Amino acid sequence: MKIYTKTGDKGTTALFGGTRVPKHNLRIDSYGTVDELNSWMGLIRDQEISAHTGKIINLIQHHLFTLGAILATPPEKETLKNGKDRLNISKISDEEINMLETEMDDMDKELPPMTHFILPGGHPSVSYCHITRTVCRRAERLASELNEITPIDPQVLRYLNRLSDYLFVLARKLSKDLQAEEIKWIPNKY
């Protein structure tokens, strides 16, 4: 199988189900940003992190592929003519969202209470978490905009929202583990 098809040479691409749209289509931008998010998650997984965190990130990466597939399928193409789902895969369920919440709760138990906003940085691994978190927020904004135009699975928005929170807590946890300073944002008062 060749990796290049030449079918996108004129600036269009196919969604699941065959519908061709411009490559700048909001649906493409939405799942393309989820793909970018997945790549950043891989960079975090490549850092010096615990085996447990690496395992969780691997699961998250699998979930993000599922989200991408969901976003790449327009509603009118979700069901085949025979009545079956076009995507013959497990969707994002409450279980995946609960996993993120449980992970955050477990990490939070080891962290000091937050009293201020925290400036991103302190260690490259922490910075990667913050960059990934902001990409996640962008993916969430695009999915939210897409949802206003054409409804998407609400679990996609819930998962992205929770994942950005998870990445923030993970950044704090890595700061603690790596003994990196958390720099508080304390605005100047006039």
Side-chain angles (χ1 to χ4, degrees):
M1 177 178 145
K2 288 188 177 187
I3 197 72
Y4 59 91
T5 61
K6 301 182 184 180
T7 57
D9 287 354
K10 293 185 180 175
T12 65
T13 193
L15 300 171
F16 282 151
T19 305
R20 292 203 70 80
V21 295
K23 289 187 177 186
H24 61 271
N25 179 281
L26 180 58
R27 184 172 294 281
I28 305 303
D29 203 11
S30 187
Y31 75 73
T33 303
V34 169
D35 186 33
E36 179 185 356
L37 170 60
N38 206 337
S39 296
W40 282 104
M41 292 299 300
L43 186 58
I44 296 171
R45 187 171 40 85
D46 290 342
Q47 301 304 300
E48 299 271 336
I49 57 174
S50 72
H52 174 77
T53 301
K55 178 182 165 194
I56 295 300
I57 290 175
N58 186 278
L59 285 171
I60 291 168
Q61 288 187 283
H62 283 274
H63 299 160
L64 290 174
F65 259 92
T66 299
L67 258 69
I70 293 168
L71 291 169
T73 308
E76 66 275 8
K77 300 289 185 168
E78 287 176 355
T79 306
L80 298 170
K81 289 179 184 176
N82 64 10
K84 294 186 178 183
D85 285 346
R86 177 172 301 283
L87 295 178
N88 189 21
I89 59 174
S90 297
K91 305 297 189 301
I92 298 299
S93 70
D94 289 341
E95 185 178 330
E96 285 81 17
I97 294 166
N98 291 339
M99 178 203 73
L100 293 173
E101 292 173 354
T102 299
E103 289 298 314
M104 284 187 277
D105 291 343
D106 289 347
M107 288 187 288
D108 235 3
K109 290 175 189 171
E110 300 179 35
L111 299 172
M114 237 180 71
T115 57
H116 293 80
F117 286 108
I118 297 168
L119 298 178
H123 187 279
S125 297
V126 174
S127 295
Y128 290 141
C129 282
H130 283 292
I131 291 168
T132 307
R133 174 184 57 79
T134 62
V135 172
C136 186
R137 286 291 189 205
R138 179 165 28 99
E140 182 184 13
R141 289 190 303 272
L142 289 167
S144 174
E145 184 179 359
L146 179 62
N147 188 55
E148 284 188 2
I149 296 167
T150 179
I152 62 172
D153 181 345
Q155 294 291 69
V156 168
L157 291 171
R158 287 186 68 220
Y159 189 88
L160 290 170
N161 185 39
R162 211 67 83 251
L163 179 57
S164 62
D165 294 337
Y166 167 84
L167 288 163
F168 179 78
V169 177
L170 179 60
R172 293 199 69 217
K173 174 76 167 66
L174 289 178
S175 287
K176 179 183 178 287
D177 292 350
L178 297 164
Q179 299 177 340
E181 181 184 3
E182 279 190 340
I183 300 173
K184 297 174 183 172
W185 177 63
I186 302 172
N188 294 329
K189 307 237 179 193
Y190 293 103

